Amino acid sequence: MSKKASQPRDQYSIDDIDKEIIRQLRGDGRMSYRILGQNVGLSEAAVRQRVNRLRENNIFTISVVVNQEAFGINSSATIGINAQGDLRKVARKLADIPETEYVNITAGKFDIIVDVLAADNKELSRIIIEEIKPIKEITEISTNIIMENYKIAYGAGPS
Amino acid sequence: MSKKASQPRDQYSIDDIDKEIIRQLRGDGRMSYRILGQNVGLSEAAVRQRVNRLRENNIFTISVVVNQEAFGINSSATIGINAQGDLRKVARKLADIPETEYVNITAGKFDIIVDVLAADNKELSRIIIEEIKPIKEITEISTNIIMENYKIAYGAGPS
DNA sequence: ACTGAAAACCAAGATTT
DNA sequence: AAATCTTGGTTTTCAGT
């Protein structure tokens, strides 16, 4: 028993077949392993093994992606924020607001950028006025209402 | 036999069970109908029907969500853009760049906001300099490098 | 709820690097 | 030798009645 090098946990190598699997599963995350196998040119068992490996190693998850309009979300915004004090604390507060979708600490014109999803303009307005503005560390808010979406890729990577 | 309103195509009503289904499927989009039924308190057949209905009516899709870091994405940015001329044309050009993730036409300080995912700063820089800046309608670019992500909900709605 | 059909799972064995 | 793929048989899930 040779001493095994601990398997490369932090840099998992993804080959072309894995990429093709991801591409397939993007269209239908519940596609059967048999069909998936056909589509990528492997046996059913082989793709299952790969998918399991990829999921276990956290390369991807299979999840629901909600169609916001159908869900009654008709008013969204990307909001740039500047703040003083502990940015992480502010980011956490923003993340705790249920209607925030995407919260990042950034370097650039803004300290934090937040995406907010709301049912309508009234609700969006409420969230900004009642939830965001009162966070006292915030010094500046720049709201950009989303008018038309041209692309959304959900982390599927360059396609 | 009351005259059934033809099914509300544009305002599909989603009840609490549907929401619970979405919550469950968020964690594991391939969860079996049996387990899903148990978890939401419905028979296997009933949840299957619901899931099918929801998918057919485009309330949600089940898809792969890639863990960007594991995928070698270590440099991302949210970029605010101002432009003259046809914004839609510009948005389309931006959407055509493989590394853009999220492209919206907005009203506010910026005309268009784009999220870009790149392997590293060098690639990010290349995309901005070689792909985005050359779009001639663009008059201003404000790049915000994403330093830390605090929340990402993938359209799963208020949670 | 029942049932035939499909899909998922498992354990070795074969193959490739 | 290790990792990945295939095959064949079994169990579970699916979808329609």
Side-chain angles (χ1 to χ4, degrees):
Chain A
M1 52 333 215
S2 61
K3 170 159 169 301
K4 266 273 85 6
S6 63
Q7 75 193 56
R9 188 168 315 290
D10 41 297
Q11 200 42 6
Y12 192 97
S13 115
I14 293 156
D15 66 16
D16 289 346
I17 296 179
D18 293 327
K19 286 182 187 158
E20 185 56 32
I21 288 173
I22 291 171
R23 215 164 295 132
Q24 293 285 329
L25 253 23
R26 255 208 92 187
D28 177 7
R30 284 185 85 92
M31 180 182 287
S32 79
Y33 291 125
R34 193 162 55 80
I35 305 293
L36 181 57
Q38 278 171 215
N39 291 355
V40 307
L42 282 178
S43 75
E44 179 241 317
V47 278
R48 179 155 34 75
Q49 284 164 14
R50 273 183 186 253
V51 171
N52 287 342
R53 242 170 352 96
L54 290 162
R55 292 176 80 184
E56 278 159 20
N57 286 74
N58 242 304
I59 308 300
F60 62 68
T61 57
I62 296 174
S63 180
V64 139
V65 174
V66 173
N67 170 357
Q68 294 152 10
E69 284 173 32
F71 212 65
I73 303 286
N74 294 305
S75 181
S76 308
T78 298
I79 302 175
I81 288 173
N82 284 306
Q84 51 195 2
D86 186 348
L87 287 183
R88 291 191 169 118
K89 200 172 134 196
V90 178
R92 232 171 288 126
K93 284 183 190 174
L94 291 165
D96 283 344
I97 301 170
E99 291 84 1
T100 59
E101 164 85 358
Y102 192 38
V103 179
N104 289 316
I105 292 182
T106 58
K109 183 163 182 26
F110 298 107
D111 296 325
I112 297 176
I113 295 179
V114 185
D115 273 31
V116 174
L117 305 187
D120 50 37
N121 291 340
K122 192 148 172 281
E123 199 200 338
L124 180 61
S125 173
R126 185 196 65 74
I127 294 161
I128 293 170
I129 293 172
E130 295 180 18
E131 310 277 351
I132 298 179
K133 282 223 155 117
I135 297 174
K136 56 186 174 315
E137 291 91 345
I138 292 178
T139 55
E140 201 193 333
I141 294 183
S142 167
T143 301
N144 293 270
I145 308 272
I146 296 174
M147 311 295 283
E148 293 182 39
N149 174 259
Y150 272 77
K151 183 176 188 177
I152 182 160
Y154 293 113
S159 51
Chain B
M1 51 344 201
S2 60
K3 168 161 171 298
K4 266 268 91 17
S6 62
Q7 77 191 51
R9 185 166 320 287
D10 42 296
Q11 200 41 8
Y12 192 100
S13 115
I14 293 154
D15 66 17
D16 290 344
I17 296 179
D18 293 327
K19 287 181 186 158
E20 185 57 32
I21 288 173
I22 290 171
R23 215 163 295 134
Q24 293 286 329
L25 254 24
R26 254 207 94 187
D28 176 7
R30 286 185 85 94
M31 180 181 289
S32 77
Y33 292 125
R34 165 106 80 70
I35 305 292
L36 182 57
Q38 279 173 215
N39 291 356
V40 307
L42 247 55
S43 76
E44 179 237 315
V47 277
R48 191 174 51 240
Q49 283 166 15
R50 275 185 185 248
V51 170
N52 287 341
R53 227 164 17 89
L54 290 163
R55 293 178 80 184
E56 277 160 19
N57 287 73
N58 241 303
I59 308 301
F60 62 69
T61 56
I62 295 173
S63 179
V64 136
V65 174
V66 172
N67 170 358
Q68 294 151 11
E69 284 172 33
F71 214 67
I73 302 288
N74 294 305
S75 182
S76 308
T78 298
I79 303 175
I81 290 172
N82 283 306
Q84 53 196 0
D86 186 349
L87 288 182
R88 291 192 169 116
K89 200 171 133 197
V90 178
R92 232 172 286 124
K93 285 184 190 173
L94 290 165
D96 284 344
I97 301 171
E99 291 84 359
T100 58
E101 162 86 0
Y102 192 36
V103 179
N104 289 315
I105 292 183
T106 57
K109 183 163 182 22
F110 299 107
D111 297 325
I112 297 177
I113 295 178
V114 186
D115 273 30
V116 174
L117 305 187
D120 51 35
N121 290 341
K122 191 148 173 282
E123 199 200 337
L124 180 62
S125 174
R126 185 195 65 75
I127 294 161
I128 294 170
I129 294 171
E130 295 180 18
E131 309 278 351
I132 298 179
K133 283 223 154 119
I135 297 174
K136 56 186 175 314
E137 291 91 344
I138 292 179
T139 55
E140 202 194 331
I141 295 183
S142 166
T143 302
N144 294 269
I145 307 272
I146 295 175
M147 311 294 283
E148 293 182 38
N149 174 259
Y150 272 77
K151 183 176 188 176
I152 182 160
Y154 293 113
S159 50

